[in-house]
Amino acid sequence: MSDFAAEFAAVGAWIDRYLSNARDYPVLSKVSPGEVASRLPASAPEHPEAFESLMADFESVILPGITHWNSPRFFAYFATSAAPIGISAEALAAALDVKAMLWRTSPAATELEEVVMRWLARLMGLPDTFTGIIYDTASIGGFTALAAARESLDLEIRERGMTARELPRLRVYITSETHSHVEKACIALGIGRENVVRIETDGELRMRPDALTAQLDADVAAGMRPMAIVATVGTTSTTTRDPLEEIVAIARGRNIWLHVDAAYAGIAAIMPEFRSILAGAEHADSIVVNPHKWLFVPMDCSALYVRDPEMLRRAFSLVPEFILDAGEESGRNYMEYGLQLGRRFRALKLWFVLRYYGAEAIREHLRRHIALAQEFASWIEAEPGWEIFAPHPFSVVCFRYAPLGLDESGIEKLNARILEDVNATGEVFLSHTKIRDRYALRLAIGNLQTAREDVAVAWRLLRGASKK
Ligand code: PLP
């Protein structure tokens, strides 16, 4: 056996033990700032170090500074899972070390990406007319879609830029609940934060179509140019859904680019009973869903679907001379569809996960997560003093402890203290949010190994902390 084979076997055994005992680690790292860095040498070694020594330091220096996202008791933000088969696929992709930029720089990477993205689209009920492209994150996919939206306005911004010339003010429409990457993308694209317009929401924090229409009318009357509307299916804070079908009708009626951010919840459409959450998305210009959020694919893997891939090419294609294909036959060259030149072979892990589990088992895991979240919500509802704070259609519950007699600021302090106490135990990790400026705790379920007992531990700790 080569040294590599022995070392890789040791890594495999380590990962296997880690995943089997994931509950034994404090979920939220307990190190203080600078602690990990202080345990590392200031300079790289001049001479080789033994594999055993690397692994020993990995365990003693690095692991204590890890927050265990792959723990069944990680309930913060959006809980995720790196499926073991996805980890194996990552190792294979690293071995091939493909830079999937041109078709010829690895035809299989390009063609597998096309096929597996179509598989995923079909699982979610999206039509084959969409072209799928994998990016690292929904933030980059969203940025790329908005760059295409800007290009679609035919304002020659690609060639002439946006400075020292007469251009209408470009406007992008979101809500207070839209993920912050949209605003960042608008900063990077020269749209300006002032032109990112937050449309009023209804009682469930959904974009109000009438308010959207009124704002569009007012902006157009003032000589502005609507560039894009971003609708969210499963917002970051409460997982609410903007009314997609009504927003689609508005966007199509006015020929405005519609980007659907379904980074977390879009995956739920794989279950027939949730298919309707993407109703209308087939008429959107772009849609993003994250297999690295709720489809058990290790970070990073975000799927962007576009109706007109040519618009992405128009926005980004710039092929340097040194990689020109000299007229030879070629499939799709993915480097023309975004900022990156070299691209990781991410399709492999998505392909492995989809095949290893199969759609039925994936649906069962999603249903289990949703059922656990609903059961957790029922415990909250049944407990005096505790309240559910927002509808919880998926696997995320927003809630808080609000005993009688406390004002808003008292409730915030109390819940922040409860959260700190619970997370300090290391047994679970939850996060919080603010809903219309009111503080709420948030429990998200998304790990393959999370069982009822894990959620029960979280509830026991929360109740215990509330009684202190
Ligand atoms: N969109 C939504 C609705 C999200 O909740 C998030 C992250 O939680 C993102 C986009 C950003 O995802 P990523 O980390 O893949 O950029």
Side-chain angles (χ1 to χ4, degrees):
M1 196 190 262
S2 69
D3 285 354
F4 170 72
E7 289 160 8
F8 199 70
V11 168
W14 189 93
I15 294 173
D16 187 45
R17 276 196 309 280
Y18 172 70
L19 295 177
S20 311
N21 303 315
R23 288 180 184 83
D24 298 346
Y25 295 86
V27 189
L28 179 63
S29 168
K30 294 185 174 183
V31 298
S32 35
E35 197 176 321
V36 175
S38 73
R39 298 189 60 196
L40 296 166
S43 311
E46 289 292 335
H47 303 291
E49 295 189 31
F51 171 77
E52 291 71 22
S53 149
L54 302 185
M55 285 303 285
D57 286 352
F58 171 72
E59 293 211 90
S60 67
V61 181
I62 301 302
L63 266 197
I66 291 296
T67 289
H68 292 275
W69 284 77
N70 215 6
S71 161
R73 294 187 178 174
F74 184 107
F75 297 119
Y77 317 119
F78 281 117
T80 57
S81 214
I85 191 69
I87 298 171
S88 300
E90 279 288 58
L92 292 171
L96 300 175
D97 200 22
V98 158
K99 323 290 186 274
M101 53 203 210
L102 298 172
W103 173 82
R104 75 167 176 193
T105 59
S106 269
T110 298
E111 294 184 19
L112 182 64
E113 184 161 335
E114 288 173 338
V115 169
V116 83
M117 287 292 276
R118 197 165 311 122
W119 283 12
L120 179 60
R122 286 183 180 176
L123 284 173
M124 296 185 299
L126 292 175
D128 286 354
T129 43
F130 280 105
T131 297
I133 306 171
I134 303 180
Y135 296 89
D136 55 356
T137 57
S139 302
I140 294 300
F143 163 81
T144 309
L146 289 172
R150 195 182 68 173
E151 180 62 23
S152 74
L153 299 175
D154 286 327
L155 293 172
E156 299 182 355
I157 290 171
R158 180 189 152 111
E159 296 310 318
R160 299 178 56 207
M162 296 178 82
T163 55
R165 57 183 294 225
E166 281 296 308
L167 281 176
R169 275 174 76 157
L170 307 184
R171 307 279 269 180
V172 173
Y173 305 86
I174 64 172
T175 73
S176 58
E177 304 307 299
T178 307
H179 189 266
S180 55
H181 77 272
V182 174
E183 200 168 339
K184 281 197 197 174
C186 289
I187 295 169
L189 290 166
I191 308 305
R193 293 183 70 192
E194 277 182 7
N195 294 309
V196 181
V197 188
R198 285 177 173 69
I199 301 298
E200 240 178 87
T201 54
D202 66 13
E204 287 189 18
L205 300 167
R206 297 173 297 208
M207 185 184 281
R208 275 182 42 193
D210 59 332
L212 174 64
T213 306
Q215 184 72 49
L216 289 167
D217 286 344
D219 284 2
V220 171
M224 301 179 189
R225 184 88 186 263
M227 184 183 104
I229 302 166
V230 179
T232 308
V233 173
T235 56
T236 312
S237 176
T238 65
T239 74
T240 195
R241 289 184 287 126
D242 290 326
L244 201 49
E245 286 176 292
E246 286 160 273
I247 294 172
V248 161
I250 295 168
R252 288 289 67 88
R254 296 168 183 245
N255 198 22
I256 303 171
W257 188 285
L258 174 62
H259 178 64
V260 177
D261 180 358
Y264 154 71
I267 295 295
I270 292 177
M271 296 172 284
E273 65 274 30
F274 278 87
R275 184 66 51 84
S276 63
I277 63 171
L278 289 184
E282 65 276 15
H283 303 299
D285 295 281
S286 50
I287 308 164
V288 78
V289 298
N290 270 4
H292 72 221
K293 273 197 167 56
W294 204 13
L295 195 58
F296 320 127
V297 175
M299 179 78 183
D300 51 1
C301 182
S302 179
L304 176 74
Y305 290 97
V306 287
R307 231 164 14 106
D308 180 8
E310 263 320 290
M311 204 52 79
L312 280 188
R313 272 192 79 229
R314 257 180 59 182
F316 286 105
S317 178
L318 202 61
V319 184
E321 183 62 32
F322 71 94
I323 51 175
L324 277 180
D325 265 359
E328 69 188 72
E329 273 191 42
S330 171
R332 192 183 294 284
N333 295 324
Y334 273 120
M335 57 159 286
E336 294 185 88
Y337 297 82
L339 277 180
Q340 273 189 278
L341 174 64
R343 305 169 70 250
R344 270 159 43 67
F345 186 6
R346 298 188 183 92
L348 192 68
K349 55 186 170 181
L350 180 54
W351 189 49
F352 270 37
V353 167
L354 290 177
R355 291 183 61 195
Y356 191 81
Y357 288 92
E360 250 329 296
I362 288 170
R363 290 186 193 103
E364 284 316 308
H365 279 295
L366 300 177
R367 287 184 183 119
R368 206 172 51 75
H369 289 161
I370 293 169
L372 284 175
Q374 304 313 312
E375 187 172 8
F376 176 77
S378 74
W379 298 338
I380 299 280
E381 266 165 351
E383 188 75 9
W386 288 82
E387 61 186 25
I388 293 288
F389 217 55
H392 41 85
F394 301 109
S395 66
V396 173
V397 184
C398 296
F399 61 98
R400 64 187 197 167
Y401 183 47
L404 283 179
L406 272 189
D407 63 8
E408 226 14 82
S409 118
I411 292 175
E412 175 164 344
K413 279 200 196 97
L414 175 60
N415 282 270
R417 201 268 300 150
I418 291 174
L419 185 63
E420 208 179 308
D421 285 359
V422 166
N423 288 341
T425 66
E427 287 194 63
V428 296
F429 176 35
L430 282 77
S431 55
H432 78 279
T433 185
K434 281 211 168 166
I435 302 170
R436 294 201 194 283
D437 272 338
R438 298 164 78 199
Y439 190 96
L441 302 174
R442 201 171 159 287
L443 178 131
I445 298 172
N447 189 276
L448 283 167
Q449 294 195 65
T450 299
R452 187 173 185 273
E453 174 58 19
D454 298 308
V455 185
V457 167
W459 181 219
R460 174 174 53 74
L461 292 170
L462 285 160
R463 283 175 64 207
S466 76
K467 292 186 177 127
K468 274 204 212 149

